[in-house]
């Protein structure tokens, strides 16, 4: 008999789904269950490498670690790695498949549904429990016909589904109740309960809120999860970099240039945890002032990053920079005198 599936969907991106799936994986593992995470499709340039050399999203690898198992490509069979200019590299079962414009990918999405079901079925045959994660909102009505990762997965697996909202953003009632309202009846029947995430303060003050959600939503509130500072988990994607940057304090400031299609920037998280070190992501040469070092990170489109650096004035600013300059992955290529892509491996190719 296939293993049951618990699915965590959210009212929007960045409401805490990935962290909650990791937490549920750890809880299930501690109770003696053989549990695996699953995310049908992820969009991120923060990637991890499996033992057999396949690529999956870093967040899925973290969830596998929480479950106490090695990550495999079955846990994240489709990974979309944005290159900019509305183009992305599509990684299928750990290997590059095609580089497509957004419209072209939309037309080919139907080809990928069997890939998703095959890998989910394999996990359900191997483990006692699968905890699946959705992406963004399940009720983006203009995109729902091409859904590969939210309620289509839940319906296929008849998953016991949890809906998560982020109260720290505000509008928690509209988030949760609005999402419930827009689900199809067959989808709504799968919702086992609601989770209010990132609550600050005394939960006793939200007792009435829980009652209102349950009365109007018709499902229980299964948890009010507190705001937790500094979880030190890798960010799923570059959305995290849109948050306010830390103000440099006494000590060492390291700047990371926020290149277009920046990749694996969570590699720098350990630097940010060092006492006396401030890591700041910058997008203008003037922000280099006061930095002891500057890092050029990885990027999914090196030529575009090279042009962006020149247009922003970073070329001259880096020549004058008195501190240490470090390039990693694509950033190391950017330190060269010339970059040539005659075979158009990235975008339209070219020479810079």
């Amino acid at each position: 008999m296939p293993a049951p599936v618990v699915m965590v969907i959210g009212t929007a991106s960045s409401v805490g789904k990935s962290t909650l799936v990791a937490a549920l994986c750890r809880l299930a593992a501690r109770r003696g269950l053989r549990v695996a995470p699953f995310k049908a499709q992820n969009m991120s340039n923060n990637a991890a490498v499996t033992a057999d050399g396949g690529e999956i999203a870093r967040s899925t690898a973290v969830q596998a670690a929480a479950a106490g198992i090695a990550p495999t490509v079955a846990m994240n069979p489709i990974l979309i790695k944005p290159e900019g200019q509305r183009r992305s590299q599509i990684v299928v079962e750990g290997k590059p498949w095609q580089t497509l414009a957004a419209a072209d990918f939309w037309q080919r999405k139907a080809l990928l549904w069997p890939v998703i079901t095959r890998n989910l079925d394999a996990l359900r045959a191997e483990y006692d429990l699968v905890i699946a994660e959705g992406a963004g909102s399940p009720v983006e009505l203009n995109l729902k016909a091409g859904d590969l990762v939210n309620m289509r997965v839940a319906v296929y697996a008849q998953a016991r589904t949890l809906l998560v909202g982020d109260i720290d953003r505000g509008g928690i009632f509209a988030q949760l109740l609005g999402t419930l309202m827009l689900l199809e009846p067959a989808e709504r029947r799968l919702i086992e309960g609601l989770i209010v995430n990132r609550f600050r303060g005394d939960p006793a003050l939200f007792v009435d809120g829980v009652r209102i959600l349950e009365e109007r939503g018709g499902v229980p509130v299964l948890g009010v999860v507190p705001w937790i500072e500094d979880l030190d988990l890798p960010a799923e994607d570059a959305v995290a970099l849109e948050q306010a940057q830390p103000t440099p304090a006494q000590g060492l400031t390291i700047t990371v240039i926020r290149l277009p299609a920046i990749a694996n920037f969570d590699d720098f998280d350990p630097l940010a945890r060092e006492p006396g070190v401030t890591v700041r992501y910058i997008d203008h040469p003037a922000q280099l002032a006061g930095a002891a070092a500057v890092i050029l990170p990885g990027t999914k489109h090196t030529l575009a990053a090279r042009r962006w650096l020149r247009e922003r004035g970073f070329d001259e600013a880096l020549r004058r920079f008195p501190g240490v300059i470090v390039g990693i992955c694509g950033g190391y290529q950017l330190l060269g005198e010339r970059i040539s892509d005659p075979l158009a491996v990235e975008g339209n190719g070219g020479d810079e």
Side-chain angles (χ1 to χ4, degrees):
M1 182 176 177
V5 177
V6 171
M7 186 150 191
V8 178
I9 61 171
T11 56
S13 297
S14 302
V15 299
K17 296 184 294 293
S18 297
T19 300
L20 288 171
V21 168
L24 291 172
C25 283
R26 176 56 62 89
L27 287 170
R30 284 179 174 172
R31 295 184 180 188
L33 292 173
R34 296 166 58 254
V35 58
F38 179 76
K39 187 163 185 175
Q41 173 189 294
N42 209 331
M43 178 179 284
S44 177
N45 279 330
N46 282 357
V49 179
T50 61
D52 59 357
E55 274 191 291
I56 63 172
R58 187 75 61 91
S59 58
T60 304
V62 169
Q63 293 163 356
I69 57 175
T72 68
V73 297
M75 299 171 187
N76 179 207
I78 302 170
L79 175 61
I80 301 174
K81 303 183 75 174
E83 293 184 351
Q85 300 174 328
R86 291 178 287 187
R87 291 174 61 88
S88 297
Q89 181 189 57
I90 314 301
V91 178
V92 176
E93 295 182 311
K95 305 298 180 187
W97 181 52
Q98 297 184 49
T99 297
L100 298 171
D104 294 332
F105 175 65
W106 183 264
Q107 295 173 359
R108 290 168 171 79
K109 289 180 82 169
L111 300 173
L112 298 174
W113 178 244
V115 174
I116 291 168
T117 57
R118 179 174 66 245
N119 284 281
L120 178 55
D121 291 347
L123 291 175
R124 297 181 74 185
E126 183 178 354
Y127 291 92
D128 302 325
L129 173 67
V130 174
I131 302 180
E133 179 185 354
S137 162
V139 289
E140 299 292 354
L141 301 183
N142 58 315
L143 302 175
K144 194 169 181 181
D147 175 36
L148 293 178
V149 65
N150 283 307
M151 295 311 296
R152 189 174 182 184
V153 173
V155 170
Y156 173 81
Q158 288 297 290
R160 303 181 71 176
T161 304
L162 312 177
L163 175 61
V164 181
D166 178 4
I167 195 171
D168 192 56
R169 294 183 173 196
I172 190 66
F173 300 102
Q175 287 183 50
L176 292 170
L177 298 177
T179 300
L180 286 173
M181 180 187 73
L182 292 172
L183 290 172
E184 297 296 330
E187 298 169 340
R188 185 164 176 167
R189 283 193 290 271
L190 296 175
I191 304 297
E192 293 284 333
L194 310 177
I195 297 178
V196 176
N197 198 24
R198 297 174 178 156
F199 184 85
R200 298 176 187 254
D202 185 353
L205 299 176
F206 197 66
V207 170
D208 283 346
V210 169
R211 176 182 54 77
I212 293 167
L213 286 171
E214 292 183 338
E215 287 177 354
R216 299 203 178 194
V219 290
V221 174
L222 299 177
V224 177
V225 181
W227 174 274
I228 302 175
E229 200 76 45
D230 297 329
L231 278 171
D232 290 341
L233 293 175
E236 182 172 13
D237 52 43
V239 172
L241 299 183
E242 296 174 3
Q243 299 173 2
Q245 294 294 305
T247 302
Q250 287 188 342
L252 198 68
T253 297
I254 298 173
T255 56
V256 180
I257 299 178
R258 186 180 171 182
L259 299 172
I262 186 171
N264 291 339
F265 61 87
D266 54 329
D267 287 345
F268 311 123
D269 289 353
L271 288 176
R273 296 186 197 115
E274 285 291 319
V277 175
T278 300
V279 175
R280 302 187 73 242
Y281 291 85
I282 66 169
D283 54 16
H284 193 279
Q287 296 169 304
L288 290 168
V294 59
I295 298 174
L296 280 77
T299 172
K300 203 69 187 67
H301 200 317
T302 312
L303 279 172
R306 178 74 166 238
R307 288 190 286 269
W308 182 86
L309 287 168
R310 186 178 64 250
E311 291 165 0
R312 289 284 176 117
F314 271 107
D315 277 8
E316 276 302 315
L318 289 172
R319 289 189 185 99
R320 298 193 304 268
F321 184 70
V324 175
I325 300 176
V326 177
I328 296 176
C329 196
Y332 184 69
Q333 297 175 38
L334 291 170
L335 295 177
E337 295 181 358
R338 177 182 170 210
I339 299 175
S340 182
D341 184 11
L343 300 179
V345 174
E346 297 179 348
N348 296 322
D351 192 280
E352 285 285 337

